[in-house]
Amino acid sequence: MWLYWNRKGRLAETGCPDLDAYNEATGDNLPRLVFACDKVAEVLDKTGRSKEDKELLAQIENRLSTIARLGRAFGIHLILATQRPDANIIPGQIKNNMDFRVCGRADSVLSQIILDNTSAAEQIPKDARGRFITGDGTVFQGYLFDEERF
């Protein structure tokens, strides 16, 4: 979180609303940063955890929530991947501030949870491996490039 507060202070000092404006105004080239977490359910699931663990997880959840809400302006982006996107795993505060959502083949309930779209489930055939849909309805194909085979 130090990085977040540092960037927030630097932008505030220069009166810049976001990272692009800051870099243009100062000539600095602060890079965009990406925090990515696969299997975030393993990190945030509080089921069966001790009181101390739950308190620590609440702090982690709070930090992720801050990054989801305010991080983009400071050039800090959040990528979370999970197979269990329910509210018990990814709280609404985080989910609602995620700018872009992608869903693989899912039933109508799961596609409603992820994309707020129950018809998304029918747009990906059951046999379409590596096919995904975005929140705006764009369907795309992902590919695996195995460097050892080339």
Side-chain angles (χ1 to χ4, degrees):
M1 283 311 284
W2 172 85
L3 184 61
Y4 168 82
W5 292 111
N6 177 280
R7 285 185 173 213
K8 182 177 181 179
R10 289 171 82 167
L11 270 66
E13 287 173 7
T14 58
C16 296
D18 58 37
L19 183 68
D20 291 334
Y22 175 84
N23 284 341
E24 188 176 318
T26 63
D28 285 353
N29 193 18
L30 284 178
R32 294 190 175 278
L33 303 172
V34 176
F35 175 83
C37 182
D38 189 12
K39 300 197 183 338
V40 74
E42 297 300 318
V43 176
L44 296 179
D45 190 2
K46 296 179 182 110
T47 306
R49 301 288 183 117
S50 68
K51 182 181 177 187
E52 294 81 21
D53 284 351
K54 287 180 181 180
E55 289 171 2
L56 179 60
L57 291 175
Q59 291 177 16
I60 293 169
E61 190 177 291
N62 182 285
R63 300 292 200 265
L64 290 175
S65 180
T66 300
I67 293 170
R69 277 191 339 270
L70 305 170
R72 287 185 305 270
F74 308 116
I76 305 171
H77 304 277
L78 189 59
I79 298 175
L80 302 177
T82 185
Q83 293 182 2
R84 294 174 30 205
D86 62 57
N88 295 328
I89 302 302
I90 300 178
Q93 180 71 27
I94 295 173
K95 187 181 113 175
N96 293 337
N97 284 291
M98 298 297 287
D99 220 18
F100 190 77
R101 299 181 198 173
V102 176
C103 181
R105 176 81 184 140
D107 63 21
S108 60
V109 173
L110 193 55
S111 62
Q112 175 65 36
I113 291 169
I114 298 169
L115 302 173
D116 296 328
N117 178 355
T118 56
S119 68
E122 292 85 43
Q123 294 180 29
I124 300 177
K126 290 182 182 186
D127 62 345
R129 295 190 61 176
R131 195 153 311 157
F132 301 91
I133 186 167
T134 65
D136 69 1
T138 302
V139 176
F140 67 95
Q141 181 71 43
Y143 295 95
L144 171 64
F145 291 101
D146 186 350
E147 292 181 20
E148 293 178 16
R149 294 183 63 200
F150 293 103

